[in-house]
Amino acid sequence: NQVEASKENLMNREILSQVKTGITQNLSMGKNEFVVKLKPEGLGEITVKLVETGGKMALSIMTSNAHVASLLNNNISELQNS
């Protein structure tokens, strides 16, 4: 059903937007570990850690929701570019 697919796509875009905004805002405040609560509440939260290993910085993202984890994995290049 195209209407359902369109609604899901819109929701996924909103989730990605919340994740990108949350990460950007917290990193700009100098935080290297923080939690972003997603809306609606059923989406849970993500825990983000900025880790330095071997002179390189890596961003670790853990989610409490399987759908959000899958969405982030499928859109990792979009997150890397933000």
Side-chain angles (χ1 to χ4, degrees):
N1 185 333
Q2 281 187 333
V3 173
E4 289 300 317
S6 181
K7 283 181 184 177
E8 184 174 345
N9 189 35
L10 185 62
M11 185 174 151
N12 288 346
R13 291 279 133 225
E14 173 59 27
I15 294 168
L16 285 174
S17 176
Q18 288 181 58
V19 170
K20 287 192 283 189
T21 300
I23 290 173
T24 304
Q25 287 177 345
N26 282 284
L27 290 178
S28 70
M29 290 188 292
K31 295 182 181 180
N32 60 2
E33 186 172 338
F34 50 90
V35 173
V36 177
K37 294 182 190 280
L38 301 174
K39 293 182 171 86
E41 269 183 45
L43 294 174
E45 58 190 32
I46 62 167
T47 302
V48 181
K49 294 180 183 178
L50 188 60
V51 184
E52 184 178 353
T53 51
K56 294 184 178 182
M57 298 303 284
L59 199 63
S60 165
I61 302 174
M62 293 175 283
T63 84
S64 60
N65 181 294
H67 175 76
V68 173
S70 175
L71 179 64
L72 295 179
N73 283 329
N74 292 336
N75 292 278
I76 195 71
S77 63
E78 185 177 332
L79 291 173
Q80 288 173 329
N81 293 330
S82 45

